[in-house]
Amino acid sequence: MEVKPASFPHERRNHVLLTWAQSMNGKIGYKVPSSYENPHVFRGQLKISSKESFRMTHGLRSLFDAIMVGSNTVRNDNPSLTCRYPCPENSNCLAPVSMQPIPIIIDSHLSLNYATLKVMDLARRGLTKAPWVVVAPSVLQRKTTDAQLQERWNCIEYCGGRIFVRDQEHPNNWNDYVSLKELQSNGASRIMVEGGATLLEKALESNSFDSLVVTIAPKMFSSEETVGISYQKYLDLNHASWIPCGSDILLTTYEHFPIDLFTLEYNRSKI
């Protein structure tokens, strides 16, 4: 599949960006540990990108309406999914709530322990926007008799979050799997899909995206502990651009990538 050059979505319009950081051998994160059933066990994020790329990512986040991740990414990393400004390296240096993207979690079975998640804590304290969670229709049916599901549902709504029940249990189309049309019609027009591997590969397979930004770092990681993504088999990247960013290289399909994101000199308010 040939990937056509894309225009950066400065104005508010429906737009899906797939973005991730990877090593030279294609690794993007840790494998889900065998102890994932323990809700208090978080492996942590695999450190891949350079300081410059990290700043660029937070610049992108300031210009998008939402960040989408899968449940395994949350289970492994317990990410904050925030925009930090002006010092992304400082986890306490949060941009104003108006600049924060909506965290979107694809959690088909509502399997995460939401009471322990950073996104929930930040939302409860009014520092970020509350998360949106996409679930399968079976969750809606089961929660009336499953106390744990009901507790998780209530936890999300209590902090101001929203739960979207997709139409099908196991849709083949990625757009239906993440309820893309409903998310965008509710205000999450520009969405950054940041992982993990399963969610990204589903999007690549179904050609359900508008653009790519891939950070490639000069590192190598063991296949025993990490997972990777192979996008070359899905895409013809003849029209992609390659941009140096610190010690990393960015692969992007944007025709005019906003280079000022490297220094965080970006527009501080979403249009």
Side-chain angles (χ1 to χ4, degrees):
M1 176 187 70
E2 183 178 5
V3 180
K4 297 181 180 179
S7 299
F8 195 84
H10 290 288
E11 72 284 0
R12 186 179 293 278
R13 59 184 169 85
N14 289 348
H15 187 91
V16 174
L17 164 66
L18 304 187
T19 181
W20 67 90
Q22 67 168 65
S23 63
M24 292 179 66
N25 58 336
K27 302 305 179 183
I28 70 169
Y30 287 115
K31 291 180 179 178
V32 178
S34 57
S35 58
Y36 75 90
E37 292 87 355
N38 184 338
H40 302 292
V41 174
F42 296 105
R43 182 67 186 269
Q45 188 177 24
L46 184 65
K47 304 298 182 185
I48 300 175
S49 56
S50 66
K51 179 178 70 174
E52 291 82 1
S53 297
F54 189 70
R55 283 176 166 261
M56 178 275 300
T57 296
H58 280 265
L60 280 176
R61 288 180 176 184
S62 76
L63 298 172
F64 277 73
D65 305 305
I67 304 173
M68 179 184 291
V69 294
S71 57
N72 279 344
T73 294
V74 178
R75 184 173 288 115
N76 245 5
D77 300 353
N78 192 14
S80 299
L81 302 178
T82 57
C83 169
R84 302 177 198 161
Y85 182 91
C87 300
E89 298 85 0
N90 182 352
S91 60
N92 295 317
C93 190
L94 295 174
V97 175
S98 61
M99 282 178 61
Q100 294 295 338
I102 301 164
I104 299 176
I105 302 171
I106 310 303
D107 187 9
S108 296
H109 305 296
L110 204 61
S111 59
L112 297 168
N113 185 341
Y114 285 86
T116 66
L117 301 184
K118 291 178 182 178
V119 291
M120 301 296 292
D121 177 61
L122 290 167
R124 281 192 294 265
R125 291 190 283 148
L127 299 174
T128 60
K129 293 172 182 171
W132 293 2
V133 182
V134 177
V135 301
S138 61
V139 172
L140 183 62
Q141 299 162 6
R142 292 166 44 217
K143 80 179 181 72
T144 57
T145 57
D146 188 321
Q148 188 176 61
L149 283 182
Q150 185 66 63
E151 181 181 358
R152 291 170 179 170
W153 189 290
N154 292 343
C155 182
I156 294 165
E157 292 188 330
Y158 179 76
C159 78
R162 299 182 62 181
I163 299 174
F164 293 80
V165 182
R166 63 175 180 244
D167 293 332
Q168 303 172 51
E169 191 73 17
H170 303 289
N172 292 322
N173 184 278
W174 186 86
N175 290 3
D176 297 332
Y177 179 73
V178 302
S179 293
L180 182 63
K181 185 176 181 180
E182 189 174 2
L183 295 173
Q184 291 181 324
S185 66
N186 277 272
S189 303
R190 298 166 290 188
I191 300 176
M192 293 176 65
V193 184
E194 294 196 3
T198 300
L199 192 63
L200 288 166
E201 288 198 337
K202 281 180 180 289
L204 289 166
E205 287 173 4
S206 58
N207 190 23
S208 300
F209 63 97
D210 299 292
S211 56
L212 285 175
V213 173
V214 183
T215 300
I216 304 173
K219 298 179 181 179
M220 301 282 282
F221 295 105
S222 165
S223 298
E224 294 181 1
E225 296 186 336
T226 58
V227 293
I229 185 169
S230 176
Y231 53 92
Q232 294 91 339
K233 63 183 178 182
Y234 304 115
L235 308 175
D236 178 357
L237 295 172
N238 287 330
H239 298 291
S241 299
W242 301 83
I243 304 172
C245 185
S247 59
D248 304 334
I249 294 289
L250 300 185
L251 181 156
T252 180
T253 56
Y254 284 129
E255 288 184 294
H256 303 290
F257 189 83
I259 302 297
D260 54 354
L261 295 181
F262 295 166
T263 57
L264 291 189
E265 295 175 0
Y266 46 78
N267 186 351
R268 299 190 186 189
S269 61
K270 292 186 174 73
I271 298 172

